[in-house]
Amino acid sequence: DAKTTQPTSMDCAEGRAANLPCNHSTISGNEYVYWYRQIHSQGPQYIIHGLKNNETNEMASLIITEDRKSSTLILPHATLRDTAVYYCIARNAGNMLTFGGGTRLMVKP
Amino acid sequence: GAGVSQSPSNKVTEKGKDVELRCDPISGHTALYWYRQRLGQGLEFLIYFQGNSAPDKSGLPSDRFSAERTGESVSTLTIQRTQQEDSAVYLCASSLGQGAFYEQYFGPGTRLTVT
């Protein structure tokens, strides 16, 4: 899997949009961009994934730049329960998931 | 619908004892994965199953670790002669198919403590 780079931590006000960036400048054409999050003491939770096009689901939106070298996960209306570590992964055909350091998002009232 | 479930949620065992950890994947998911996560660290891949077969056992840390899956459903991870360094959260995930297109859904994990 290509290396990804994320900020170590971010704060967001409750009710505001949380925009989490991820750089994956060495991503190859067949690698998907995946986002997971892990709330303290829980298993990782799948959020969203995409290859080239922007994606949206009930949890979040994923914006991938045209050159695919970076992406942004958007939580449109962050709540206190969104406080977690968010992992961006560039995943190839391999079956295993590899988490890097992630971004610790703190949603504040 | 039901997600991935794991049991027990917590296990404390004495060094040298054997333990069995169970994973019930989402119904219909053909692929099943085992990971380990030490405190404050990332995921460590252990093994995955496609159906009842395990094509990739390369992540198992030692021959004390083994896993099986039956009926393309339940999987058991067995650790023999546990050591203190085995203490970690053991996570199971399942997906509809194998490969990068299919997202993996995780269970809550089993926290293993070896004293």
Side-chain angles (χ1 to χ4, degrees), chain B residues 31-49:
Chain B
L32 184 148
Y33 308 81
W34 283 99
Y35 295 87
R36 178 167 73 176
Q37 188 172 35
R38 292 200 168 96
L39 187 64
Q41 298 188 20
L43 293 184
E44 179 185 359
F45 170 77
L46 299 179
I47 189 171
Y48 93 94
F49 290 88

Side-chain angles (χ1 to χ4, degrees), chain A residues 30-32 34 36 38 41-46 49 87 91-100, chain B residues 33 35 37 41-43 45 48 56 58 91 98-109 111:
Chain A
N30 63 347
E31 288 184 307
Y32 285 79
Y34 269 81
Y36 279 80
Q38 194 164 23
S41 297
Q42 296 184 22
Q45 180 186 20
Y46 167 77
H49 75 285
Y87 297 98
R91 186 178 170 208
N92 66 13
N95 289 289
M96 67 186 77
L97 283 172
T98 306
F99 285 10
Chain B
Y33 308 81
Y35 295 87
Q37 188 172 35
Q41 298 188 20
L43 293 184
F45 170 77
Y48 93 94
D56 185 358
S58 62
L91 292 158
Q98 62 178 101
F101 179 75
Y102 297 99
E103 62 270 26
Q104 297 180 17
Y105 293 93
F106 284 82
R111 182 175 299 277

Side-chain angles (χ1 to χ4, degrees), chain A residues 39-89:
Chain A
I39 296 169
H40 182 63
S41 297
Q42 296 184 22
Q45 180 186 20
Y46 167 77
I47 302 174
I48 199 166
H49 75 285
L51 184 62
K52 295 181 182 178
N53 299 324
N54 297 337
E55 302 288 344
T56 296
N57 63 21
E58 65 277 6
M59 287 184 69
S61 294
L62 173 61
I63 308 298
I64 303 174
T65 58
E66 194 170 338
D67 63 7
R68 302 211 324 125
K69 292 183 184 298
S70 65
S71 61
T72 302
L73 178 75
I74 301 172
L75 307 178
H77 305 288
T79 71
L80 298 180
R81 288 176 294 181
D82 292 322
T83 293
V85 180
Y86 286 77
Y87 297 98
C88 169
I89 305 152

Side-chain angles (χ1 to χ4, degrees), chain B residues 55-109:
Chain B
D56 185 358
K57 302 180 182 180
S58 62
L60 293 176
S62 74
D63 58 8
R64 296 186 295 105
F65 288 71
S66 63
E68 65 174 17
R69 188 181 185 195
T70 56
E72 298 197 356
S73 180
V74 173
S75 176
T76 302
L77 177 69
T78 301
I79 309 173
Q80 296 178 310
R81 305 181 302 281
T82 51
Q83 303 293 313
Q84 287 185 330
E85 63 262 27
D86 299 335
S87 295
V89 175
Y90 289 81
L91 292 158
C92 174
S94 71
S95 64
L96 202 54
Q98 62 178 101
F101 179 75
Y102 297 99
E103 62 270 26
Q104 297 180 17
Y105 293 93
F106 284 82

